[in-house]
Amino acid sequence: MSRSEETSRTPSAAATPVPARSRAVRWPSGPGRPDRVTVAIYAADPVLRVGVVHQLRQRPEVDLLDDADAGHAQVSLVVVDGVDDDVAALLHRLRHNPATRTGLVVGTLGAGALQRVIECGVAAVLRRAEAGQDQLLHLILAIAKGEGVLPGDLLGTLLAQVSRLQRSALDPQGPALSTLTTREADMLRLVADGLDTAEIARKTAYSERTVKNVLHEVIARLQLRNRAHAVGYALRNGLI
């Protein structure tokens, strides 16, 4: 199919994402040439789909599959603006296909959506704004090798979520992450760094009286003995 034919194939915005049609260049096999990774591209938006196909179709490391063969792809790449119910349903379907592992190229992804896509079995995530040809190829090859890929800030968010779930499972009555206000957490971090009341006041631009009151409130509310106990408690429970 020609590139003009590919571009003209425009499913409605409400349509379920479908694999991109692409007849990738067939590179000869032989010694010294690694096996190519078979890839299916899923996108409801034809502009997104064509853009990703255009970047990948000439790369010798990948083989973009036609619709009929998409179910046999080693890597399924889902390209979307955001994660809604339709996208989640597609990810769930792909998760149950043992032949493929799924990667997500997404415009925006909040903390709640991140947990959702992980639960759907997504192995790697790339922000669309960062999805250049090299980044897409790196994502695909990593997925094919069984590796997981997340942007640094999303990895931190995921680890925080996992830590919170672990604490909840071990101690359902324990403190939530919201137990400390931002100001309280900041002051406890400074106490942990060895600063005294006067130094904390200068560092935070609060009065010494305010610092004492804030720390006293934390100690009293959490029923702790002193500042050292408060720091240890906060560290142990991942509050700072």
Side-chain angles (χ1 to χ4, degrees):
M1 178 168 57
S2 67
R3 186 173 302 181
S4 62
E5 290 174 328
E6 179 181 31
T7 306
S8 65
R9 186 169 173 267
T10 56
S12 66
T16 300
V18 295
R21 289 192 179 276
S22 173
R23 299 193 182 280
V25 177
R26 299 292 174 178
W27 296 82
S29 60
R33 179 169 294 283
D35 292 336
R36 304 176 73 197
V37 178
T38 55
V39 180
I41 308 296
Y42 295 79
D45 186 331
V47 175
L48 296 181
R49 176 172 51 81
V50 170
V52 172
V53 169
H54 176 71
Q55 293 196 72
L56 293 175
R57 68 188 312 167
Q58 300 301 328
R59 294 301 298 244
E61 301 91 341
V62 301
D63 185 4
L64 300 182
L65 299 185
D66 293 333
D67 293 359
D69 297 322
H72 303 290
Q74 295 169 265
V75 174
S76 294
L77 200 61
V78 178
V79 186
V80 293
D81 287 319
V83 178
D84 57 17
D85 290 341
D86 288 338
V87 172
L90 170 64
L91 296 175
H92 273 295
R93 290 199 301 273
L94 292 172
R95 181 179 187 178
H96 293 295
N97 178 359
T100 193
R101 300 184 80 242
T102 306
L104 180 68
V105 180
V106 63
T108 58
L109 188 68
L114 173 61
Q115 183 173 346
R116 191 178 190 185
V117 301
I118 296 299
E119 291 172 352
C120 290
V122 171
V125 176
L126 179 66
R127 285 197 176 89
R128 220 176 62 222
E130 302 167 354
Q133 186 181 94
D134 291 340
Q135 288 75 21
L136 285 169
L137 183 62
H138 171 76
L139 188 79
I140 290 168
L141 296 180
I143 294 171
K145 293 175 184 176
E147 300 172 358
V149 179
L150 284 177
D153 61 313
L154 292 183
L155 178 59
T157 299
L158 180 61
L159 291 175
Q161 290 175 343
V162 170
S163 178
R164 182 172 67 249
L165 290 173
Q166 288 175 333
R167 288 196 302 273
S168 297
L170 293 173
D171 183 10
Q173 303 303 318
L177 289 178
S178 59
T179 298
L180 297 179
T181 66
T182 300
R183 182 170 69 170
E184 290 169 343
D186 288 342
M187 288 189 183
L188 278 181
R189 289 190 190 97
L190 294 174
V191 173
D193 289 338
L195 277 65
D196 60 22
T197 300
E199 291 169 327
I200 294 172
R202 288 194 296 271
K203 192 82 171 179
T204 60
Y206 290 111
S207 68
E208 291 186 32
R209 182 176 180 178
T210 298
V211 172
K212 290 178 180 177
N213 288 341
V214 169
L215 294 174
H216 176 76
E217 167 62 22
V218 172
I219 292 168
R221 188 174 73 247
L222 298 180
Q223 299 179 2
L224 304 172
R225 293 188 300 274
N226 49 43
R227 293 186 183 186
H229 191 192
V231 168
Y233 180 90
L235 288 171
R236 186 168 59 253
N237 288 282
L239 299 176
I240 62 174

